[in-house]
Amino acid sequence: MTVFALTPTPATGLQVYAWLLIALPLGVAALLLVGGKRTDSWGHFLATLAPIASFGLALAYFIDLLAVTPDQRAIVVPVYTWIASSAWQISVSLLLDPLSMVFVLLVTGVGSLIHLYSLGYMAHDPNRRRFFAYLNLFVAAMLILVLADNYLVLFVGWEGVGLASFLLISFWQERPSAAAAGKKAFIVNRVGDLGLIIAIFTMLAMFGSSSFSSVNAGADQLTSFWAGLLGFLLLLGACGKSAQVPLQTWLLDAMEGPTPVSALIHAATMVTAGVYLVVRSGAIYAQAPAAQLAVAIVGTVTLLVGAWIGCAKDDIKKVLAGSTMSQIGYMMLAAGIGPAGYAFAIFHLLTHGFFKANMFLGAGSVMHATGDDVDMRHYGALRRALPITFVTFAAGYLAIIGFPFFSGFYSKDHIIEAAFEHQPALGLLALIGAGVTAFYMTRLMALTFFGQSRWRPGVHPHESPATMWIPLVLLALGSFGGGMVLNGWIGRWLAPIGALAPENASWAPHFTPIGWATLAVVAAGVALGWLLFGRRPVPDQAPTAVSPLTRWGRRDLYVDSLYDAALVRPGLGLAQAVALVDQRAVDGAVEGSAHLTQSVGRQLGRLQNGYVRSYGLTMLIGLLAVGVALILGQLV
Amino acid sequence: MTDLYLVLAVILFSVGLVGFLIRRNALIIFMSIELMLNASNLVLVSMSHVHGVLDGQVAAFFVMVVAAAEVVIGLSIIVTIFRARRSTSVDNEILLKG
Amino acid sequence: MTGLTSLTGLGLTPLLTGVEVTFWVCAVAAIAGAIGVVTSSKPVYSALSLALVMLALAVIYASLEAGFLFAVQIIVYTGAVLMLFLFVIMLVGVSSREALVDTLRGHRLAACLAGVGLVVLLALAVGQAVTAPAVGLADATAVAGGNVEGLAQLVFHRYVVAFEATAALLITAAVAAMVLAHPKRLKPKPDQSLRLRRRVEAYAEQGVHPGAKPSSGVFARHNSVATPALLPDGSVAPESISDTVASRVQVADPSQLALPLAQTLAAIEGRPGSGPVDSEDSDDSDDDLAEDLVDDPAEDAAEDPRPGPAEDSAEDLTDGSAEDPATPASPTVPDPPLTPDSPLSPDPAGPDQEGGSDD
């Protein structure tokens, strides 16, 4: 039996101050939001320092964990008792273990770089202070999410990142499209949250506790029905947060937010929370093979859908968003494989965090240079104007297509291989996805940095300031070397929480038949992309005579239209019907009774004419009625 | 026989009550009230006779005293109202109407 | 009363006892009176009908061996209360009638129906109230020694607290009646200083004499308020006569009043031996004066062409030293409304005249 969690040991020494990880960004966010305009001049510097400080603290704790033996790498830090009832004792406690530590480092590390980048990117925004406050709020919520030692506190962080995501997507709230996108993300996420919260209720009912240790300990006593139910509910939550099919629609619209937000929240960290949730709940999925298979299928479908959409879009950020969906699909596929895939899922999550943040920030740099234009058909030949951006973006590009020795090469190949071992059909689809990924990323590169200049009049591209390109360089280094560094280590590191260490865990690339096949597919994709977009002049306007595949891709596979027809319109109709019922029936009843009361009152008021003798007559009639009643009562 | 006294009292009382209800002159209304008081006195006296005790007569006596005091006050009020409104009709000012 | 009871006490059972006769007669009278109270259009008739009801009830009380109440009913109710009603009716207007049509539609009919309903209901109720024959009060009164004594025993023993309370009630009612009946002053009562200030203001603005008005004239034989005072020049001081007296032409002519004195003085000075004749003359002249006083100016104008009594008197004073000028503002000038056929023609100066002469 796989052990999915270590028995946590209580915190000792400075470990009890682990809550500072969260408190620093949270306090700064509160300070900036409450402090108002007084903090306008220096608030963003403070806000940048907060995640850096958290990163430093996280590094210290990470080293702390490295120093002990693997079976002791779980430390619980109690903060306070949240709910103390006879049935449930729910405490707010932080769990420092290999999995959460990886996430903390990713969130604070990438977060720090993106804060740094935002110093330059948002330098001229009038609401810069609010932006940084929201970013810090996001970092704090994300840390709560990954540091929680039970599902209920995790849910607090889960909702916190949802809130921060909503606030940041609609940060430019004066744009109707941004406001609508934030609303859409919020509502679609609620669907997923429903699954998660019902799962938490179920856990409280089944185990009497929602802590990871209790759930892990009690999971193997679950019947297959309850385990499957929990598995599907958690998958629903993960789909919502990680933009997996069928709840993927919000992520493309979320690109309305500022580009650093897209990099941090909608590429590197928040959208991977679903993967974290699935990996965290490994004990449950171990009892629920059907749910596990569903995770893998969802991941596979999403990786193909995301890649498809990425091929068809002209908006650079939407291409990247599609690729994000696709890469998270890979992670879900890995997580759906089971303990054998957990380490690969987290591995790919980390490398993806590097190279996707890298590419998003690079895209931001391109937009910065071209006057916030996002249409790749208006770019072209930017490699000379933006040399640093080009080089760093290229590192990200090579990483995502799985070019040998770049980080994606290690992580994605592992997933494809594991998928082939687990289920050849899934592996084949993942392999096709890798080829498509290579195709659309090559298209992106060709349209943006090569070919002829198609700049709009008045656009004079220039390289970004240092605060923007320094993070790019650092992330490019991560994109290049992250895979090599982590490849041999991540499996062992995550082994204590249930991930099976890959047998071929070494820094050296291994070349299996599947690996070669992957490389071949990727090369084919690159070649096709280059032939189609790199060698031929690119039309300035998007061609209309395109294949149905492209048309579907441009319309996000018509999922929005489907949801609009299947859910939104019926919902609106229902709301209108309810409003009509309210107006006619409820209001009619209320107003009718009011009118009735009024008219009865008016009639009765006629009796109150002010004449004493009239009142006397009324009294006499009442007296007679009472007397008659008494006599009749005697008779009966 | 005794029932006849009661019936007489009932008739007098009812006539007084009807007078109270249909007349608008405050003085006549007052007289109707006196009529009702007398009807009740008749019941007291006749019941005293029926039961053979004098308490009923004492009660009637007290009723008379109270009626006398009431008449004094009531007529004073009527005079005051008349002085203010130059009328003894109870309809002239509908003071009870909100 | 006692005779009737003794008759039944003898064991005889007459067809119709006196009590029953009394009852039927009085019952009819009482009901008729009650209907009269309610239906009379004038309050006076209602009050008199109420008196009939109360008298009939008093008789019924007497027939029910309630002698004291019989008296009290007549004295207090018929005597005092009803008279009070009549006083108030006189005060507020005897002839006030009600409009025949009630302002409340259907109210009168409904009230009558309800009254009939009440009669039926109560008659049904009291029809079963008494089942035993009347005990009678003979025993009760015999113990105390009489109806009044029996009542007195009860009132002063068992019901003494209630009795005292009614006493307090009556006192309170009397005080309350006085308070209610007392009219409220519309203006504050003028005090001495205010009156004096007004007087001086009147003098300042209109030249009204601020001092006391001259008192009426005083003569040897006349000091009534109808006698005007004379100013030093012999003319009449108009302020010395009340306006009321002046408007009724009851003012004596001062020259006529002064005439006997002048004649006496003349006699003393000029003819010392003609005293008795003078006195007779003075009597005659007195009569003339009275005639002149009562005579209407219209008659005067018809009888003789003399312009007015002032000249007449001046002419009569042939040997008077003081030649009176015509006094047009004399109060003796009559008001036009006093026509010859006016009923107001008594001798107003009569009581003032010692001779008591009349027309």
Side-chain angles (χ1 to χ4, degrees):
Chain A
M1 191 68 242
T2 314
V3 177
F4 288 97
L6 296 166
T7 308
T9 54
T12 55
L14 289 175
Q15 289 166 342
V16 296
Y17 297 109
W19 52 268
L20 275 172
L21 286 170
I22 299 164
L24 284 171
L26 194 62
V28 172
L31 181 70
L32 262 58
L33 288 176
V34 174
K37 288 182 177 157
R38 281 181 291 278
T39 62
D40 270 349
S41 54
W42 46 268
H44 48 291
F45 295 118
L46 186 66
T48 310
L49 285 177
I52 293 173
S54 285
F55 180 67
L57 208 55
L59 266 182
Y61 289 127
F62 175 64
I63 293 165
D64 212 16
L65 284 191
L66 275 179
V68 296
T69 55
D71 57 344
Q72 289 177 331
R73 285 174 183 161
I75 297 159
V76 67
V77 183
V79 180
Y80 76 100
T81 304
W82 184 12
I83 298 172
S85 70
S86 59
W88 297 322
Q89 299 287 335
I90 294 172
S91 62
V92 177
S93 303
L94 306 181
L95 177 67
L96 300 174
D97 74 349
L99 183 57
S100 65
M101 219 55 236
V102 165
F103 264 91
V104 169
L105 286 172
L106 175 72
V107 170
T108 55
V110 176
S112 300
L113 291 177
I114 288 173
H115 275 75
L116 195 62
Y117 178 89
S118 301
L119 285 179
Y121 190 82
M122 301 295 285
H124 306 297
D125 196 283
N127 290 316
R128 182 180 57 189
R129 173 184 53 80
R130 189 158 61 88
F131 178 79
F132 277 93
Y134 290 163
L135 271 191
N136 271 19
L137 178 66
F138 167 77
V139 170
M142 192 71 202
L143 289 174
I144 292 173
L145 196 162
V146 297
L147 281 171
D149 89 323
N150 64 58
Y151 284 96
L152 212 55
V153 178
L154 178 144
F155 187 73
V156 174
W158 191 269
E159 292 299 307
V161 296
L163 171 68
S165 165
F166 164 75
L167 290 170
L168 285 165
I169 291 170
S170 50
F171 177 73
W172 288 315
Q173 59 216 25
E174 63 275 9
R175 298 183 192 165
S177 59
K183 203 161 63 180
K184 185 174 179 183
F186 203 73
I187 291 170
V188 175
N189 264 299
R190 291 288 79 70
V191 179
D193 294 346
L194 188 69
L196 178 56
I197 201 162
I198 293 175
I200 293 172
F201 292 158
T202 312
M203 285 174 196
L204 286 171
M206 305 296 293
F207 308 118
S209 163
S210 68
S211 75
F212 297 146
S213 53
S214 310
V215 172
N216 286 330
D220 54 355
Q221 276 113 45
L222 284 176
T223 60
S224 61
F225 168 75
W226 286 108
L229 181 69
L230 275 175
F232 277 107
L233 288 171
L234 290 169
L235 174 61
L236 182 60
C239 283
K241 194 58 82 187
S242 292
Q244 300 295 292
V245 173
L247 298 178
Q248 84 283 15
T249 58
W250 64 271
L251 186 61
L252 291 164
D253 290 340
M255 296 301 123
E256 288 289 342
T259 307
V261 171
S262 307
L264 177 61
I265 300 182
H266 304 123
T269 54
M270 186 191 85
V271 286
T272 59
V275 181
Y276 172 79
L277 185 69
V278 172
V279 173
R280 230 354 148 189
S281 312
I284 290 168
Y285 283 105
Q287 306 297 320
Q292 205 165 32
L293 183 62
V295 172
I297 291 172
V298 163
T300 309
V301 171
T302 308
L303 80 89
L304 290 172
V305 166
W308 187 350
I309 292 171
C311 291
K313 293 287 183 184
D314 289 334
D315 181 332
I316 185 169
K317 285 182 73 179
K318 297 220 167 167
V319 174
L320 290 175
S323 105
T324 302
M325 280 166 57
S326 175
Q327 298 303 312
I328 297 169
Y330 276 108
M331 297 172 212
M332 292 297 273
L333 169 60
I337 288 169
Y342 288 161
F344 302 141
I346 301 301
F347 185 22
H348 193 55
L349 195 156
L350 287 174
T351 57
H352 174 255
F354 290 133
F355 62 69
K356 188 53 63 65
N358 176 15
M359 283 194 285
F360 260 116
L361 295 186
S365 180
V366 169
M367 288 162 57
H368 191 75
T370 57
D372 283 335
D373 197 339
V374 294
D375 193 340
M376 292 190 295
R377 293 183 187 277
H378 302 164
Y379 295 160
L382 283 170
R383 65 181 184 279
R384 291 185 206 290
L386 307 170
I388 301 171
T389 305
F390 169 64
V391 170
T392 54
F393 204 105
Y397 162 72
L398 293 174
I400 194 172
I401 65 172
F403 193 79
F405 309 111
F406 279 74
S407 58
F409 168 72
Y410 295 97
S411 55
K412 191 149 64 176
D413 277 10
H414 284 318
I415 292 174
I416 294 170
E417 282 174 29
F420 266 109
E421 284 172 20
H422 183 70
Q423 179 64 256
L426 295 177
L428 189 61
L429 291 171
L431 186 62
I432 294 170
V436 179
T437 302
F439 169 72
Y440 69 76
M441 287 311 297
T442 307
R443 171 175 177 267
L444 188 152
M445 286 297 287
L447 287 178
T448 305
F449 292 105
F450 296 96
Q452 297 299 312
S453 157
R454 299 177 300 278
W455 305 340
R456 298 294 98 178
V459 169
H460 306 291
H462 54 275
E463 189 53 84
S464 300
T467 53
M468 287 170 71
W469 63 254
I470 289 173
L472 283 176
V473 170
L474 291 174
L475 287 168
L477 289 177
S479 304
F480 171 66
M484 273 185 285
V485 171
L486 296 174
N487 186 28
W489 170 80
I490 189 78
R492 289 196 304 278
W493 175 252
L494 290 176
I497 57 108
L500 292 182
E503 305 93 16
N504 42 15
S506 75
W507 67 271
H510 57 286
F511 294 98
T512 59
I514 293 170
W516 286 113
T518 307
L519 275 179
V521 170
V522 166
V526 170
L528 187 62
W530 182 252
L531 282 175
L532 285 178
F533 298 100
R535 300 287 298 273
R536 295 195 300 188
V538 176
D540 206 29
Q541 296 296 323
T544 48
V546 291
S547 67
L549 286 176
T550 312
R551 202 177 302 126
W552 278 56
R554 283 180 182 168
R555 300 294 303 274
D556 303 346
L557 306 190
Y558 291 98
V559 172
D560 276 342
S561 310
L562 178 69
Y563 286 176
D564 194 48
L567 299 173
V568 177
R569 281 180 200 284
L572 281 178
L574 184 66
Q576 276 162 357
V578 169
L580 200 66
V581 167
D582 177 62
Q583 215 169 13
R584 293 282 160 79
V586 179
D587 285 8
V590 171
E591 285 171 12
S593 61
H595 283 306
L596 185 69
T597 312
Q598 210 174 16
S599 56
V600 168
R602 206 171 282 134
Q603 295 298 321
L604 287 176
R606 234 174 248 179
L607 292 176
Q608 306 288 323
N609 53 12
Y611 293 107
V612 178
R613 55 202 159 94
S614 179
Y615 296 166
L617 180 60
T618 310
M619 285 170 66
L620 175 58
I621 291 170
L623 182 77
L624 286 177
V626 171
V628 168
L630 282 176
I631 288 179
L632 289 179
Q634 292 278 331
L635 293 178
V636 174
Chain B
M1 179 65 204
T2 314
D3 287 344
L4 289 177
Y5 288 102
L6 296 180
V7 170
L8 174 63
V10 163
I11 290 171
L12 290 180
F13 186 88
S14 300
V15 171
L17 188 58
V18 170
F20 173 81
L21 291 180
I22 67 174
R23 297 310 297 258
R24 276 165 289 166
N25 190 327
L27 280 166
I28 297 179
I29 286 175
F30 215 14
M31 289 181 210
S32 303
I33 294 171
E34 292 300 316
L35 200 56
M36 288 189 272
L37 279 173
N38 271 293
S40 63
N41 266 357
L42 178 58
V43 174
L44 288 172
V45 173
S46 61
M47 281 298 137
S48 169
H49 185 253
V50 168
H51 293 297
V53 289
L54 283 170
D55 298 63
Q57 292 189 11
V58 174
F61 173 65
F62 283 135
V63 169
M64 283 182 193
V65 176
V66 172
E70 173 231 334
V71 163
V72 168
I73 299 295
L75 288 178
S76 306
I77 291 171
I78 287 172
V79 167
T80 310
I81 291 175
F82 178 77
R83 206 181 275 148
R85 309 201 182 286
R86 313 305 300 171
S87 165
T88 53
S89 171
V90 294
D91 278 3
N92 275 7
E93 295 289 335
I94 304 175
L95 295 176
L96 287 182
K97 183 118 175 166
Chain C
M1 170 77 188
T2 48
L4 288 171
T5 49
S6 61
L7 191 66
T8 50
L10 285 172
L12 298 174
T13 51
L15 256 165
L16 195 63
T17 62
V19 175
E20 287 176 353
V21 171
T22 311
F23 172 77
W24 285 114
V25 171
C26 293
V28 170
I31 292 173
I35 291 173
V37 170
V38 172
T39 55
S40 295
S41 60
K42 284 188 175 182
V44 176
Y45 296 162
S46 288
L48 294 178
S49 303
L50 189 59
L52 175 63
V53 176
M54 287 174 174
L55 286 173
L57 286 180
V59 174
I60 289 178
Y61 292 168
S63 77
L64 287 173
E65 302 176 67
F68 180 68
L69 286 182
F70 162 76
V72 170
Q73 174 85 358
I74 289 177
I75 294 168
V76 172
Y77 256 128
T78 321
V81 170
L82 268 178
M83 289 315 112
L84 208 55
F85 266 108
L86 284 173
F87 268 120
V88 173
I89 288 167
M90 295 305 166
L91 205 61
V92 302
V94 185
S95 57
S96 64
R97 284 169 180 272
E98 283 183 26
L100 287 174
V101 184
D102 201 315
T103 46
L104 297 175
R105 194 158 44 86
H107 176 81
R108 190 170 289 182
L109 181 66
C112 291
L113 286 177
V116 171
L118 185 68
V119 169
V120 172
L121 189 72
L122 289 181
L124 279 175
V126 302
Q128 309 155 345
V130 182
T131 50
V135 174
L137 286 165
D139 294 341
T141 51
V143 171
N147 178 259
V148 177
E149 288 83 350
L151 285 179
Q153 277 186 0
L154 281 175
V155 164
F156 290 112
H157 286 94
R158 189 186 297 170
Y159 297 113
V160 69
V161 177
F163 184 70
E164 295 296 337
T166 53
L169 178 72
L170 279 176
I171 289 291
T172 312
V175 172
M178 281 190 278
V179 169
L180 280 173
H182 188 70
K184 211 173 173 182
R185 271 191 177 279
L186 295 175
K187 296 180 208 167
K189 188 180 178 187
D191 57 355
Q192 196 177 11
S193 66
L194 183 64
R195 283 199 302 267
L196 195 60
R197 194 180 305 127
R198 279 184 192 158
R199 213 186 287 175
V200 175
E201 279 171 3
Y203 172 66
E205 290 164 7
Q206 298 156 21
V208 178
H209 183 57
K213 289 179 176 175
S215 58
S216 54
V218 179
F219 294 90
R221 302 186 192 180
H222 298 276
N223 63 349
S224 79
V225 292
T227 313
L230 295 181
L231 293 174
D233 60 353
S235 63
V236 169
E239 295 88 359
S240 63
I241 298 295
S242 160
D243 290 343
T244 313
V245 177
S247 70
R248 290 184 182 171
V249 206
Q250 292 167 336
V251 180
D253 185 358
S255 57
Q256 293 294 323
L257 295 175
L259 193 60
L261 180 62
Q263 286 175 344
T264 307
L265 284 175
I268 291 169
E269 286 171 1
R271 292 172 297 180
S274 61
V277 181
D278 284 342
S279 68
E280 284 177 3
D281 285 351
S282 71
D283 282 348
D284 291 342
S285 68
D286 215 353
D287 289 344
D288 288 342
L289 171 67
E291 273 183 344
D292 280 325
L293 274 172
V294 294
D295 270 355
D296 282 331
E299 279 183 10
D300 285 347
E303 281 175 1
D304 47 14
R306 290 178 296 184
E311 283 187 12
D312 183 22
S313 60
E315 221 168 73
D316 285 344
L317 266 169
T318 47
D319 47 357
S321 59
E323 272 296 319
D324 270 5
T327 54
S330 167
T332 54
V333 174
D335 287 330
L338 290 175
T339 49
D341 54 344
S342 170
L344 200 135
S345 58
D347 180 14
D352 297 336
Q353 291 169 349
E354 292 175 359
S357 65
D358 48 4
D359 291 343

